């Protein structure tokens, strides 16, 4: 909105207050006039009062009519709010003037004719009419605008992207295969005759499928930017309204606008909001959504032709979409935008690090290898959190200390550095986390241990960071799954063996281990029940998660499933016991190091495994880091004391 538009809007908003002020002023003047008592006298009565010398004040004003004069004044005995008025013609006025001069009236004035002053005449006679006309104009304009908005209820909410917001493929990192998949769309939009010459039909719709934060919306913007065509974008929820038929009307209007700008792109984000399967759910279908979907299906591939319009949609729930939406001729092509691999993460980090000041110790390649499973949005958030921490610590650049802390914050939440922990609880957590770490260090198929900490974060009293030894596709072997279960049970076994008691700290570990074991039995066919899938996701897309698994087995098989699940857990538990018993000394060494340093890294863990203690150079670095952390705690404590407020973690304030 430019300055002129804002000025006009400000005038329109101020107009009602201006009209109200004029009305109040008019009422005020009217009340003042009504507060004055006016006595009308005839010319004879006025002459009689002049003869009796009762007139104390008199004012004579000529009127616009010929030879007529208005006479006002006060008589003897009048109050301050009382006056008289009278009218006289030329001959009568002469007699009145003679008596006024004879009696020498205390206050005698004559005024000029108000009608002779053109400006005053315009102000009195024309200005009120102008004000009324202007006020009525704006009132009717506002009423017409409100009626127009009500008529626009069925208009499309699709917006046209701005030129300055245009993206290109260079802004999209880590999606090389996906960019190749949609490259021919760009070629078609630039040169459609090339395809028409050979009778090729470009896909009318492209569905981008993938987890949240992987860059589906950014990829759609880049396609429009590379093709240099208009880009309309809308959310699936913008179609659905309370009134049936509004969504269908908006779909029609959206395609109507797109045809005027063809060739162009239409991007529908979160299409599952309007494209869910029809006629499903406990209560039947949803009329408004289904009519909107029907209209969308017709516009994409119906009796009419939409030449030059390509629809791009994004969703992370392709399983709930209506089959008619996914058939050829509508969304012909599905492009899976998956989580980036190590190389993709490095490229994404380079894009988001362009406006960041990184320290010399920051290696983006190493950082990409330490963040498996991170999406593009997660990586952007990671660098942003690190930048915030660097600003808080008054540093001139982002170092690996801030990136390590930001990684922990993204994964587990802010550290509770001011929380008081008893020595008994600290020892319990250190023994528990050491048990996890030893399984990772000694079990062949287990993941690699990168960090152990007993500083509370989020809902956890501590955690062990374990990452895959090498990045691979999402396929796990039976031994790797069993190693995961064994590693999860390592903390509980360590508590039981060294502290002779168990705690609630292993509750999440047990839940995750049980889920993996049950999936091995019911979904993966990795048990004595054979390669049979007993549970699968249901097609009831509108039901809750508790109802989304269909069970195709008898009660006898259910008992056997429970037995097999328990057997897997027990076997892994015994394996964890054996490994921890054989490495009792290493458990205690790791626990002692955690009691002293609270956090130990991969290099320090390797030093403990080889020599039984942390190398002096690594220990000095860690002591400096802990000293900085202690100083931060003391500063925080002093600040809280001054403010007379409860302690609060610095990191939680970001």
């Amino acid at each position: 909105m430019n300055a002129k538009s804002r000025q006009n809007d400000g005038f329109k908003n101020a107009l009602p207050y201006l009209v109200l002020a004029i009305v109040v002023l008019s009422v005020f003047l009217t009340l003042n006039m009504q507060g004055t008592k006016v006595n009308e006298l005839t010319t004879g009565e006025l002459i009689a009062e002049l003869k009796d010398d009762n007139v104390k004040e008199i004012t004579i004003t000529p009127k616009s009519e010929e030879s007529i004069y208005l006479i006002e004044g006060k008589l003897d005995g009048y109050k301050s709010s009382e006056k008289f008025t009278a009218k006289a013609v030329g001959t009568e006025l002469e007699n009145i003037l003679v008596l006024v001069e004879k009696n020498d009236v205390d206050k005698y004035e004559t005024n000029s004719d108000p009608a002779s002053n053109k400006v005053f005449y315009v102000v009195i006679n024309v200005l009120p009419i102008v004000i009324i006309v202007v006020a009525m104009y704006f009132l009717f304009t506002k009423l017409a605008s409100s009626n127009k908005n009500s008529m626009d209820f069925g208009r499309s909410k699709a917006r046209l992207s701005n030129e300055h917001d245009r993206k290109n493929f260079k802004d999209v990192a880590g999606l090389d295969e996906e960019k190749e998949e949609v490259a021919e769309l760009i070629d078609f939009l630039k040169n459609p005759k090339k395809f028409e010459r050979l009778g090729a039909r470009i896909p009318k719709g492209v569905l981008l499928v993938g987890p949240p934060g992987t860059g589906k919306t950014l990829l759609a913007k880049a396609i429009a930017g590379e093709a240099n065509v208009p880009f309309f974008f809308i959310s699936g929820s913008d179609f659905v309204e309370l009134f049936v038929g509004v969504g269908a009307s908006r779909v029609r209007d959206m395609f109507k606008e797109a045809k005027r700008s063809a060739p162009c792109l239409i991007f529908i984000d979160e299409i599952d909001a309007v494209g869910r399967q029809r006629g499903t759910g406990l209560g039947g279908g949803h009329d408004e959504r289904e009519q909107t979907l029907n209209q969308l299906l017709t516009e994409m591939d119906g009796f009419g032709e939409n030449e030059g319009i390509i629809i791009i949609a994004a969703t992370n729930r392709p399983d709930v979409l209506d089959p008619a939406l996914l058939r050829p001729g509508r969304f012909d092509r599905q492009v899976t935008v998956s989580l980036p691999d190590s190389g993709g993460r490095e490229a994404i980090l380079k894009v988001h690090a362009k406006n960041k000041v990184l320290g010399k110790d920051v290696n983006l390649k190493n950082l990409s290898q330490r963040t498996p499973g991170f999406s593009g949005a997660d990586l952007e958030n990671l660098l942003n959190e690190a930048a915030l921490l660097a600003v808080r610590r008054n540093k001139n650049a982002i170092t690996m200390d801030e990136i390590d802390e930001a990684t922990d914050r993204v994964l587990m939440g802010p550290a509770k550095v001011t929380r008081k922990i008893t020595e008994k609880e600290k020892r319990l957590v250190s023994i528990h986390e050491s048990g996890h770490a030893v399984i990772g260090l000694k079990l062949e198929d287990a993941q690699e241990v990168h960090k152990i900490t007993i500083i509370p974060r989020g809902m956890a009293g501590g955690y062990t960071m374990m990452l895959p030894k090498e990045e691979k596709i999402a396929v796990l072997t039976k031994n790797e799954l069993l190693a995961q279960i064994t590693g999860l049970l390592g903390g509980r076994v360590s508590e039981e063996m060294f502290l002779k008691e168990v705690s609630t700290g292993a509750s999440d570990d047990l839940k995750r281990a049980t889920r993996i074991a049950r999936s091995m039995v019911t979904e993966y066919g990795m048990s004595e029940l054979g390669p049979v899938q007993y549970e699968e996701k249901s097609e009831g897309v509108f039901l809750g998660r508790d109802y989304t698994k269909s069970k195709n087995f008898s009660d006898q098989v259910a008992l056997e499933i429970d037995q097999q699940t328990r057997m897997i857990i027990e076997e892994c538990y015994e394996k964890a016991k054996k490994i921890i018993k054989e490495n009792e000394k290493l458990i205690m060494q790791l626990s002692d190091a955690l009691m002293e340093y609270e956090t130990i890294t991969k290099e320090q863990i390797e030093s403990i495994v080889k020599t039984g203690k942390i190398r002096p150079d690594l220990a000095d670095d860690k002591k400096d880091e802990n000293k900085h952390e202690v100083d931060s705690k003391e500063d925080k404590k002093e600040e809280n004391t001054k403010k007379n407020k409860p302690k609060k973690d610095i990191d939680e304030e970001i």
Side-chain angles (χ1 to χ4, degrees):
M1 183 180 292
N2 53 30
K4 186 176 181 180
S5 301
R6 287 194 296 267
Q7 186 176 3
N8 292 337
D9 291 342
F11 178 72
K12 290 180 180 179
N13 294 332
L15 182 62
Y17 299 101
L18 180 62
V19 174
L20 179 62
I22 294 174
V23 172
V24 172
L25 181 62
S26 301
V27 172
F28 179 76
L29 294 176
T30 303
L31 291 176
N32 284 343
M33 292 178 64
Q34 291 177 352
T36 302
K37 184 179 180 181
V38 179
N39 299 319
E40 294 185 4
L41 302 180
T42 63
T43 306
E45 291 175 340
L46 177 59
I47 293 174
E49 295 291 346
L50 285 170
K51 290 179 178 180
D52 295 338
D53 197 15
N54 291 332
V55 178
K56 301 300 182 183
E57 296 180 9
I58 189 169
T59 302
I60 301 174
T61 304
K63 300 297 290 180
S64 58
E65 295 86 350
E66 186 178 358
S67 302
I68 296 180
Y69 296 86
L70 176 64
I71 302 173
E72 296 179 341
K74 291 186 177 183
L75 300 179
D76 190 15
Y78 273 17
K79 298 179 180 179
S80 60
S81 60
E82 189 176 4
K83 68 178 182 178
F84 69 83
T85 61
K87 291 183 179 181
V89 295
T91 56
E92 296 173 338
L93 181 63
E94 294 177 0
N95 297 330
I96 294 173
L97 291 175
V98 171
L99 292 173
V100 168
E101 293 177 359
K102 180 180 178 181
N103 296 337
D104 192 16
V105 177
D106 296 341
K107 190 174 181 181
Y108 167 54
E109 294 180 358
T110 57
N111 294 331
S112 60
D113 185 2
S116 62
N117 191 334
K118 295 182 179 180
V119 175
F120 186 74
Y121 178 82
V122 171
V123 170
I124 296 299
N125 296 281
V126 179
L127 185 60
I129 299 175
V130 173
I131 292 176
I132 293 174
V133 171
V134 171
M136 294 299 293
Y137 170 77
F138 280 105
L139 289 176
F140 279 111
T141 302
K142 191 171 183 179
L143 181 61
S145 176
S146 63
N147 290 334
K148 182 180 179 182
N149 292 335
S150 63
M151 296 300 293
D152 289 346
F153 193 63
R155 294 290 301 274
S156 170
K157 291 187 177 182
R159 292 168 289 173
L160 190 63
S161 63
N162 298 324
E163 290 292 332
H164 67 272
D165 195 33
R166 193 174 292 276
K167 302 292 183 182
N168 296 301
F169 276 171
K170 65 180 181 180
D171 300 314
V172 183
L175 300 177
D176 296 335
E177 294 80 3
E178 291 80 357
K179 287 188 285 189
E180 291 179 2
E181 190 71 16
V182 299
E184 63 184 11
L185 298 178
I186 300 171
D187 196 11
F188 169 77
L189 291 170
K190 288 183 176 180
N191 188 14
K193 293 183 179 180
K194 173 182 175 182
F195 292 83
E196 295 172 357
R197 181 171 56 87
L198 297 178
R201 179 182 62 81
I202 203 68
K204 293 186 178 181
V206 177
L207 183 64
L208 304 179
V209 179
T214 51
K216 299 184 291 295
T217 304
L218 182 61
L219 180 60
K221 288 183 178 181
I223 295 172
E226 290 289 336
N228 195 24
V229 295
F231 178 71
F232 294 91
F233 60 96
I234 189 172
S235 173
S237 60
D238 288 335
F239 291 112
V240 182
E241 288 286 352
L242 174 64
F243 304 104
V244 176
V246 174
S249 175
R250 290 178 178 176
V251 171
R252 289 191 295 270
D253 187 68
M254 179 181 69
F255 278 89
K256 182 179 178 182
E257 291 292 329
K259 289 176 182 178
R260 296 174 183 171
S261 305
C264 67
L265 286 174
I266 297 177
F267 176 65
I268 305 175
D269 199 10
E270 305 297 343
I271 195 174
D272 51 276
V274 69
R276 286 176 174 253
Q277 296 179 19
R278 292 167 289 181
T280 55
L282 290 176
H286 186 287
D287 288 339
E288 163 62 359
R289 187 183 63 248
E290 291 189 2
Q291 287 199 22
T292 305
L293 175 58
N294 291 337
Q295 187 64 45
L296 181 61
L297 297 174
T298 303
E299 292 289 345
M300 290 189 68
D301 188 23
F303 286 102
E305 292 292 335
N306 291 321
E307 296 295 336
I309 301 176
I310 295 178
I311 313 296
I312 301 179
T315 182
N316 51 19
R317 293 293 309 277
D319 55 308
V320 305
L321 296 180
D322 194 277
L325 198 62
L326 304 178
R327 74 158 175 83
R330 289 183 178 132
F331 283 104
D332 305 78
R333 184 175 299 176
Q334 291 190 29
V335 178
T336 301
V337 185
S338 56
L339 293 171
D341 57 8
S342 178
R345 291 194 297 273
E346 182 181 359
I348 294 172
L349 287 170
K350 288 180 180 179
V351 171
H352 293 304
K354 288 181 179 179
N355 61 340
K356 304 287 192 305
V357 181
L358 301 179
K360 295 181 179 180
D361 61 335
V362 177
N363 189 319
L364 295 181
K365 183 176 182 180
N366 293 340
L367 179 59
S368 68
Q369 295 174 351
R370 294 171 51 187
T371 52
F374 276 49
S375 66
D378 293 330
L379 295 172
E380 191 275 335
N381 185 43
L382 171 64
L383 291 181
N384 185 63
E385 289 287 346
L388 292 174
L389 287 171
V391 173
R392 168 157 295 187
R393 295 173 180 177
N394 296 321
K395 290 188 176 182
N396 296 324
I398 303 171
T399 65
M400 281 305 299
D401 289 340
E402 285 74 44
I403 291 180
D404 286 339
E405 175 65 19
T407 304
D408 294 339
R409 288 169 60 87
V410 172
L411 291 174
M412 302 295 296
K416 306 295 191 298
V417 294
T418 58
R419 179 180 296 175
K420 290 184 178 180
I421 305 175
T422 63
E423 286 298 317
K424 180 179 179 180
E425 184 180 1
K426 195 174 181 181
R427 173 62 70 178
L428 186 150
V429 176
S430 66
I431 291 292
H432 181 101
E433 299 303 332
S434 299
H436 288 307
V438 166
I439 299 296
L441 292 169
K442 299 300 179 180
L443 194 58
E444 181 179 357
D445 294 312
Q447 295 180 333
E448 191 174 25
V449 181
H450 278 254
K451 179 191 288 188
I452 314 173
T453 180
I454 59 173
I455 298 175
R457 286 183 180 274
M459 300 298 295
Y463 77 97
T464 302
M465 180 186 290
M466 302 177 69
L467 302 176
K469 295 178 181 178
E470 57 182 12
E471 194 159 0
K472 51 193 290 189
I473 59 177
V475 175
L476 297 174
T477 64
K478 181 178 179 181
N479 288 334
E480 289 173 340
L481 291 174
L482 292 174
Q484 285 189 17
I485 297 175
T486 305
L488 290 169
L489 297 175
R492 174 65 174 266
V493 172
S494 185
E495 290 180 14
E496 184 178 352
M497 291 183 63
F498 297 105
L499 300 177
K500 307 303 179 183
E501 62 177 348
V502 294
S503 69
T504 59
S507 59
D508 186 65
D509 299 331
L510 298 178
K511 180 175 67 175
R512 293 165 59 192
T514 304
R515 186 187 304 121
I516 296 174
R518 187 170 183 85
S519 297
M520 291 176 64
V521 177
T522 60
E523 297 181 35
Y524 310 143
M526 296 179 179
S527 70
E528 295 179 1
L529 295 181
V532 180
Q533 188 178 58
Y534 294 100
E535 293 180 349
E536 62 181 353
K537 292 183 179 180
S538 173
E539 296 298 327
V541 296
F542 293 99
L543 299 178
R545 291 189 176 183
D546 294 339
Y547 303 95
T548 56
K549 284 189 177 181
S550 61
K551 300 180 179 180
N552 302 319
F553 49 81
S554 63
D555 293 341
Q556 177 63 31
V557 175
L559 176 61
E560 294 178 4
I561 290 174
D562 293 339
Q563 291 174 345
Q564 290 294 316
T565 303
R566 186 180 298 110
M567 186 176 67
I568 293 175
I569 296 292
E570 290 176 352
E571 289 178 356
C572 293
Y573 198 81
E574 292 300 323
K575 184 182 291 187
K577 275 187 176 182
K578 180 181 178 182
I579 295 174
I580 290 178
K581 187 174 183 181
E582 292 173 353
N583 297 275
E584 178 178 350
K585 184 178 180 181
L586 180 58
I587 291 282
M588 300 312 298
Q589 290 171 346
L590 291 172
S591 177
D592 292 340
L594 288 171
M595 291 291 291
E596 181 178 358
Y597 299 107
E598 293 188 342
T599 300
I600 53 178
T601 61
K602 179 182 177 181
E603 294 79 8
Q604 294 169 329
I605 295 171
E606 291 175 350
S607 176
I608 294 174
V609 172
K610 292 179 181 178
T611 64
K613 58 182 180 180
I614 299 177
R615 294 202 317 265
D617 55 335
L618 298 175
D620 291 341
D621 293 342
K622 196 63 186 177
K623 285 182 180 179
D624 293 340
E625 182 180 339
N626 287 343
K627 182 178 183 300
H628 174 73
E629 187 174 293
V630 170
D631 293 341
S632 299
K633 292 181 182 179
E634 293 299 326
D635 294 342
K636 185 66 179 176
K637 181 178 180 181
E638 182 179 354
E639 180 183 350
N640 289 331
T641 303
K642 289 180 179 180
K643 294 182 179 180
N644 195 22
K645 293 182 178 179
K647 290 184 177 180
K648 192 173 184 181
D649 184 16
I650 296 176
D651 293 333
E652 290 179 339
E653 296 178 359
I654 296 182

